[in-house]
Amino acid sequence: MRGIRFAPRLNERDKSMDNEDKINIPHLAMLARLSLDEAATQRAEHELHNIIDMIDQMQAVDTSDVIPMAHPLDAEQRLRSDQVTEQVDRERFQRNAPATAEGYYLVPRVVE
């Protein structure tokens, strides 16, 4: 993405941030149509760096022996049987329609 700079990996970043490590918060705020004062800009940059650091920490974890799963619990969804529980009275509903034919609603043509 042009104009957005992300922080390098956690282990490569030192405590003093130079211009390469800064996230372009004013540009992000402009894209999101937000008006941020200086304090909000600094807070947003700090929070985004924390998020990026957390993602870096999660990516550093070795998950090669972990089996992928769809849900953390061994639970099965209780499904009801697929049965018709009510009947639609089409004739009663179509009595209020301006025009019907063979069980279908007739509408004026809108595309020529």
Side-chain angles (χ1 to χ4, degrees):
M1 294 165 78
R2 205 175 97 206
I4 300 174
R5 293 189 177 267
F6 293 100
R9 300 267 178 212
L10 178 65
N11 55 359
E12 298 170 6
R13 196 167 101 199
D14 62 347
K15 296 293 181 189
S16 64
M17 290 177 30
D18 58 4
N19 287 337
E20 287 296 313
D21 289 342
K22 286 203 171 269
I23 298 173
N24 193 342
I25 300 297
H27 180 71
L28 291 175
M30 186 271 306
L31 291 174
R33 304 296 190 253
L34 297 174
S35 175
L36 300 177
D37 61 10
E38 185 61 33
T41 300
Q42 290 176 355
R43 190 169 51 252
E45 183 175 6
H46 177 73
E47 290 174 0
L48 284 173
H49 276 296
N50 286 343
I51 291 169
I52 292 168
D53 289 345
M54 182 182 62
I55 291 169
D56 287 341
Q57 290 173 5
M58 289 189 299
Q59 288 178 339
V61 174
D62 179 22
T63 59
S64 59
D65 294 333
V66 177
I67 300 170
M69 62 178 134
H71 197 277
L73 302 177
D74 280 339
E76 290 187 24
Q77 178 112 13
R78 288 185 276 165
L79 301 175
R80 63 174 173 79
S81 59
D82 191 14
Q83 297 176 347
V84 177
T85 58
E86 61 184 50
Q87 297 294 323
V88 176
D89 188 2
R90 183 186 302 181
E91 289 180 15
R92 188 183 78 180
F93 292 134
Q94 289 186 341
R95 272 187 246 149
N96 295 328
T100 61
E102 299 177 11
Y104 294 103
Y105 294 94
L106 300 179
V107 295
R109 174 178 245 161
V110 293
V111 178
E112 306 223 9

